[in-house]
Amino acid sequence: MEHSELIRSLSERYDSFYLYDGARVAARAAHLQQVFAPVEFLYSIKCNPNPHILDTLFARGFGADAASLGEVLMAVEHGLKKDQIYFSAPGKTQRDIDEALPKSVLIADSLGEVGRIDKAAKAQGVCAEIGLRINPNFSFSGEGGHPSKFGIDEDDALALVRANPYENVKVTGIHVHVKSQELDGCVLAAYYGRMIGLARRFADVCGELAYVNMGSGIGVPFADSDREVDVEALHAAAKAPLDAFRADFPGTRVFIETGRYTTCRSGVYVTKVVDRKVSHGKTYLLLKNTLNGFLRPSVAVMVGKYTDPAAAKSWEPLFTCDGAFRFTPLKGGEATETVTLAGNLCTGTDLIAEDIPMPQLAVGDLIVIDNAGSYASVLSPMQFASQDKPAEIFLSADGSVLAD
Ligand SMILES: *Cc1c(COP(=O)(O)O)cnc(C)c1O
């Protein structure tokens, strides 16, 4: 097990904790940047706002995909400038708009919001250069568009920029994000091609755009049968439309967003056995902070018990697939017993695995769960039952261990 000495020593202080590997975050970010240059990357803060992860990615030149005013302020605090912070979220409040306007590039999510931004800009005595989040007339996999709570339908957005009814708003960019966790490079490449087509339709009306943000989509392997996306092959497949667009519009920055690619496999969750018991012949290991500390494995159990996993396909980021997490005891040894892994909350749903083989574990032993670098700490209902939170530990590339 990687970092097992460090995990063991941290467990003397913490009963549950996340451990993030800064060198891996940086390496995965660097790989994307090298392959896709001059495409620029934005980090989707919502997947893991750990301050050291933000510093790692921003130092590498990543901008911010902010999903809230709070994330805009975090990006500012971590040194990003206004044109590096893109605030795209449905349902922004008036306060979100007023406070984010001077600090970030607002991506309007509805026609009504464009009007509210215009008013706010007028009140602040500025002309706001904004982006529009577009709900395109195509889906990720190539069929037609769908109704969505996200963004402005493509035809309505084009009509808006044609009519240009607002004095204090100028549309200078577009943003689309329609899917996460795609592992098929051909599907991703075809999507990028359609995005470039969309950018051309807007440039025809708006003139050269400042940026085209193609959103996220690149998945990461979760199940044992998943394969890592070959980003070199993906880039090669998408290169022709990207290069042609760049030749026609050399001033337009092209962005890809990612949360999980840099972080998901750069983090593990460590939980301690705090009790064990046998009930009606079934052995339970009670663990610290499972459903509440790292929700997703519990959701996977619920999906497995009560739903067809295929029906839960669109539950990202709550659920990705069957077999998305491995529960590895830190202590080696033969798997000699069958156990159920349950958490310490007062609800029967706090289960992360049922009837799995394990070596004999005792109180104080540790279980390490993988794929815990994204949608993990942030997605967990820690307000329930007021347990103490898992710690978040960041292992820097230089070997220093940073706790918040
Ligand atoms: C959550 C989100 C992302 C990040 O998606 P990943 O699949 O984690 O890379 C990107 N863009 C938007 C708009 C999002 O809401």
Side-chain angles (χ1 to χ4, degrees), residues 94 98 101 116-126 168:
Q94 193 61 51
D98 292 344
L101 186 56
R116 289 190 284 279
I117 295 172
D118 181 65
K119 275 210 192 91
K122 184 173 269 171
Q124 295 184 20
V126 295
N168 292 73

Side-chain angles (χ1 to χ4, degrees), residues 260-274:
R260 71 188 61 206
Y261 188 84
T262 56
T263 51
C264 180
R265 293 163 73 76
S266 307
V268 294
Y269 184 60
V270 182
T271 170
K272 193 179 281 179
V273 178
V274 288

Side-chain angles (χ1 to χ4, degrees), residues 44 46 65 133 175 177 180-181 216 257-260 375:
S44 302
K46 75 170 191 286
D65 162 33
R133 177 150 177 189
H175 174 212
H177 170 75
S180 278
Q181 188 54 23
S216 181
E257 298 171 327
T258 185
R260 71 188 61 206
Y375 308 104

Side-chain angles (χ1 to χ4, degrees), residues 42-47 65-67 88-90 109 133 150 175-182 213-220 256-264 316-317 374-375:
L42 306 179
Y43 177 56
S44 302
I45 297 177
K46 75 170 191 286
C47 88
D65 162 33
S88 189
D109 201 80
R133 177 150 177 189
F150 298 104
H175 174 212
V176 172
H177 170 75
V178 283
K179 187 169 187 276
S180 278
Q181 188 54 23
E182 179 58 60
N213 180 350
M214 306 199 292
S216 181
I218 304 177
V220 293
I256 292 176
E257 298 171 327
T258 185
R260 71 188 61 206
Y261 188 84
T262 56
T263 51
C264 180
E316 278 286 344
S374 60
Y375 308 104

Side-chain angles (χ1 to χ4, degrees), residues 100-402:
L101 186 56
K103 298 189 168 79
S104 64
V105 179
L106 291 180
I107 308 294
D109 201 80
S110 72
L111 293 173
E113 192 179 299
V114 178
R116 289 190 284 279
I117 295 172
D118 181 65
K119 275 210 192 91
K122 184 173 269 171
Q124 295 184 20
V126 295
C127 178
E129 296 193 344
I130 67 165
L132 300 180
R133 177 150 177 189
I134 309 297
N135 177 30
N137 286 340
F138 54 82
S139 72
F140 203 81
S141 47
E143 304 95 52
H146 297 295
S148 175
K149 78 166 198 182
F150 298 104
I152 304 169
D153 285 357
E154 177 178 335
D155 294 343
D156 294 338
L158 279 167
L160 175 84
V161 291
R162 261 191 214 103
N164 191 17
Y166 295 113
E167 274 181 16
N168 292 73
V169 158
K170 183 164 186 266
V171 174
T172 60
I174 60 168
H175 174 212
V176 172
H177 170 75
V178 283
K179 187 169 187 276
S180 278
Q181 188 54 23
E182 179 58 60
L183 290 171
D184 184 337
C186 296
V187 171
L188 286 159
Y191 164 73
Y192 293 154
R194 283 191 289 278
M195 273 305 303
I196 291 304
L198 180 72
R200 288 181 179 279
R201 293 197 282 285
F202 276 83
D204 282 348
V205 182
C206 306
E208 187 168 52
L209 296 167
Y211 54 90
V212 175
N213 180 350
M214 306 199 292
S216 181
I218 304 177
V220 293
F222 277 89
D224 290 336
S225 56
D226 288 346
R227 289 287 155 267
E228 189 85 68
V229 174
D230 178 343
V231 289
E232 276 102 350
L234 167 58
H235 177 253
K239 194 171 175 336
L242 283 171
D243 284 353
F245 181 76
R246 199 169 296 121
D248 291 341
F249 301 103
T252 303
R253 301 164 73 190
V254 177
F255 299 142
I256 292 176
E257 298 171 327
T258 185
R260 71 188 61 206
Y261 188 84
T262 56
T263 51
C264 180
R265 293 163 73 76
S266 307
V268 294
Y269 184 60
V270 182
T271 170
K272 193 179 281 179
V273 178
V274 288
D275 200 2
R276 57 172 291 153
K277 66 177 71 170
V278 178
S279 168
H280 289 258
K282 194 168 162 114
T283 302
Y284 288 87
L285 297 182
L286 276 292
L287 304 169
K288 180 68 179 171
N289 288 345
T290 54
L291 180 146
N292 56 338
F294 186 10
L295 176 67
R296 286 162 51 91
S298 297
V299 173
V301 170
M302 291 181 227
V303 168
K305 278 176 120 133
Y306 306 116
T307 320
D308 169 10
K313 242 185 137 56
S314 59
W315 289 16
E316 278 286 344
L318 282 174
F319 175 76
T320 300
C321 63
D322 243 354
F325 305 101
R326 279 133 294 271
F327 308 101
T328 310
L330 194 65
K331 164 166 125 181
E334 296 266 312
T336 52
E337 63 176 358
T338 298
V339 299
T340 290
L341 304 180
N344 58 328
L345 287 185
C346 299
T347 161
T349 55
D350 189 3
L351 277 186
I352 57 171
E354 277 201 289
D355 301 325
I356 60 166
M358 275 280 164
Q360 286 273 330
L361 298 186
V363 170
D365 283 335
L366 302 172
I367 288 178
V368 180
I369 310 176
D370 63 352
N371 287 335
S374 60
Y375 308 104
S377 170
V378 285
L379 208 63
S380 298
M382 275 313 303
Q383 291 191 77
F384 182 41
S386 304
Q387 301 275 342
D388 42 323
K389 274 191 187 164
E392 291 188 53
I393 313 295
F394 181 87
L395 173 61
S396 302
D398 68 6
S400 50
V401 176
L402 308 171

